[in-house]
């Protein structure tokens, strides 16, 4: 199978580079300065084993790749806010022998959140979800750091909305040979919702920096508890802490190559690169949406969603809001909702 990585940034670049190292045919899809760097210099992938450069076919859209093959696998690794545009572009692409990509090819959503597989299922017949556990950073255009060791990442895979099949087992087998653990599960959404709860911290990191202080960690605990209450009210199952720990313990250590501390996550990286967009609508915003649907107040996630979007839109510096100020705003948001909901005399 040939793997077409739609969005060869941090996660997509790490998956694509590792698959290429394992001998698989890989094509990269990127845009802007990253596309130009990949085309000109190749993908520079930094792992605990060293730095390697992969000269892989790189395009900026389906037209440049030409007719797709029946054995192609599309790996969607853009941020969720960019999913609709990517799916609109790739879905109608013709496949050799007849039909389109949306009709004939498997689409693997290797993204944060839970919304992209639903968006994809409106267009694609065969959609697969991935719970992505992969510490990776787009260091600069053309260069991706994947600092996990001994595994590069753990990728739970399954058919969306549920089930497994031979295709996902073949994809998992390829990933297993490329420094990933890739369990095939019939309930991948359960893992994705658990990851969503962890990703509620992304907006905190984006606006106030990496979570190291007691204040920041305490705030995240409150934000996560709000998310758990919403999932419970919605009747949505998610894997518990013990099951996640058993699946991941001692399999991935963060090993920065220059001795530095861990940088911010995907949302922090979006602000740091000044992209103008951020994934908060599909992380904290997912909890806000479910809360509104099921009558559960979500003042903390509403605040983080709003702040993250404001920071992205106004291109404010990542991590520039002091944690103490963020906590003050959070307390005010909770107090306002409590006052609104209090019985009136």
């Amino acid at each position: 199978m040939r793997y077409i990585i739609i969005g060869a940034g941090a996660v997509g670049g790490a998956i694509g580079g590792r698959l290429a190292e394992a001998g698989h045919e890989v094509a990269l899809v990127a845009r802007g300065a990253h596309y130009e760097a990949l085309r000109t210099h190749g993908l520079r992938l930094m792992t605990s084993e060293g730095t390697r450069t992969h000269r892989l076919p790189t395009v900026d859209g389906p037209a440049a790749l030409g007719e797709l093959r029946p054995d192609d696998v599309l790996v969607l690794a853009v941020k969720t806010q960019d999913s609709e545009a990517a799916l609109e572009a790739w879905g109608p692409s013709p496949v050799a022998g007849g039909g389109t990509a949306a009709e004939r090819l498997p689409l693997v959503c290797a993204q944060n959140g839970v919304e992209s597989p639903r968006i994809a299922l409106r267009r694609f017949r065969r959609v697969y979800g991935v719970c992505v556990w992969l510490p990776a950073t787009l260091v600069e255009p053309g260069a991706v750091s994947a600092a996990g060791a001994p595994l590069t990442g753990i990728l739970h895979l399954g058919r969306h909305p549920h089930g497994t099949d031979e295709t996902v087992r073949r994809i998992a087998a390829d990933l297993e040979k490329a420094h990933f653990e890739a369990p095939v599960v019939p309930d991948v959404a359960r893992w994705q919702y658990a990851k969503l709860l962890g990703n509620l911290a992304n907006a905190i990191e984006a606006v106030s920096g990496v979570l190291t202080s007691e204040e920041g960690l305490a705030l995240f605990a409150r934000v996560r508890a709000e998310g758990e209450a919403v999932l419970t009210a919605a009747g949505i199952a998610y894997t518990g802490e013990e099951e996640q720990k058993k699946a991941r313990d001692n399999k991935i250590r963060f090993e920065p190559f220059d001795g530095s501390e861990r940088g911010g996550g995907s949302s922090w990286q979006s602000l740091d690169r000044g992209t103008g967009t951020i994934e908060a609508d599909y992380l904290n915003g997912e909890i806000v949406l479910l809360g509104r649907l099921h009558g559960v107040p979500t003042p903390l996630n509403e605040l983080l969603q709003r702040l993250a979007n404001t920071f992205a839109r106004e291109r404010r510096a990542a991590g520039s809001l002091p944690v103490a100020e963020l906590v003050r705003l959070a307390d005010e948001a909770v107090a306002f909702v409590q006052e609104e909901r209090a019985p009136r005399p």
Side-chain angles (χ1 to χ4, degrees):
M1 297 187 290
R2 178 176 63 169
Y3 290 89
I4 300 173
I5 311 296
I6 304 171
V11 168
I15 292 174
R18 280 304 207 182
L19 283 169
E21 289 173 5
H24 298 288
E25 192 174 355
V26 174
L28 305 178
V29 183
R31 59 188 180 183
H34 189 46
Y35 162 75
E36 296 295 340
L38 292 172
R39 288 270 292 179
T40 305
H41 305 294
L43 170 65
R44 189 156 52 95
L45 180 62
M46 293 167 273
T47 71
S48 59
E49 300 151 21
T51 300
R52 295 160 307 284
T53 299
H54 302 286
R55 301 278 182 172
L56 302 171
T58 302
V59 298
D60 59 359
L65 199 59
E67 192 174 52
L68 300 177
R69 304 185 332 209
D71 66 342
D72 283 338
V73 175
L74 304 182
V75 179
L76 187 65
V78 299
K79 295 288 191 348
T80 303
Q81 64 267 27
D82 297 321
S83 290
E84 185 64 45
L87 294 167
E88 183 178 359
W90 286 87
S93 300
V95 178
T100 64
E103 295 168 326
R104 296 188 57 193
L105 300 184
L107 179 81
V108 179
C109 297
Q111 300 160 285
N112 283 335
V114 297
E115 183 64 14
S116 260
R118 291 186 70 251
I119 297 173
L121 208 58
R122 296 178 187 273
R123 299 177 184 272
F124 280 75
R125 289 178 180 170
R126 298 159 61 199
V127 176
Y128 301 85
V130 184
C131 178
V132 179
W133 193 263
L134 200 175
T137 304
L138 180 61
V139 178
E140 61 185 11
V144 170
S145 165
L151 292 173
T152 299
I154 300 175
L155 308 172
H156 285 77
L157 300 97
R159 186 118 187 207
H160 181 81
H162 49 73
T164 64
D165 60 20
E166 182 58 29
T167 297
V168 76
R169 286 188 284 272
R170 289 178 62 197
I171 294 169
D174 288 348
L175 290 168
E176 293 272 3
K177 297 172 185 174
H179 291 270
F180 295 99
E181 186 170 291
V184 175
V185 294
D187 55 352
V188 67
R190 198 167 63 93
W191 290 88
Q192 290 174 306
Y193 275 104
K195 177 77 184 310
L196 172 66
L197 290 173
N199 284 145
L200 298 180
N202 286 26
I204 301 176
E205 284 193 336
V207 302
S208 292
V210 178
L211 282 173
T212 55
S213 69
E214 289 186 12
E215 275 185 304
L217 291 170
L219 175 59
F220 171 53
R222 295 165 63 193
V223 171
R224 182 187 173 99
E226 195 175 88
E228 290 174 345
V230 164
L231 295 186
T232 298
I236 294 173
Y238 57 92
T239 51
E241 293 289 339
E242 283 304 312
E243 187 174 1
Q244 293 181 69
K245 184 178 179 182
K246 184 177 179 181
R248 294 170 177 149
D249 251 10
N250 301 316
K251 295 178 181 178
I252 301 180
R253 299 185 307 276
F254 179 73
E255 296 188 351
F257 312 118
D258 58 0
S260 63
E261 295 295 322
R262 181 181 74 85
S266 55
S267 297
W268 186 93
Q269 292 176 44
S270 292
L271 290 185
D272 191 51
R273 296 200 306 273
T275 62
T277 66
I278 199 165
E279 59 194 337
D281 284 346
Y282 301 99
L283 300 178
N284 306 90
E286 180 69 25
I287 297 302
V288 171
L289 170 62
L290 289 171
R292 290 169 180 167
L293 289 173
H294 296 278
V296 180
T298 58
L300 297 176
N301 281 281
E302 286 185 38
L303 171 69
L304 291 172
Q305 179 187 10
R306 184 172 65 253
L307 284 174
N309 281 319
T310 300
F311 268 57
R313 184 175 59 254
E314 298 179 357
R315 288 177 166 77
R316 297 187 193 178
S320 58
L321 181 68
V323 174
E325 176 63 10
L326 179 58
V327 171
R328 185 189 68 77
L329 292 172
D331 290 341
E332 285 185 356
V334 171
F336 179 78
V337 168
Q338 289 173 340
E339 183 179 345
E340 269 197 330
R341 292 169 64 88
R344 300 296 179 187

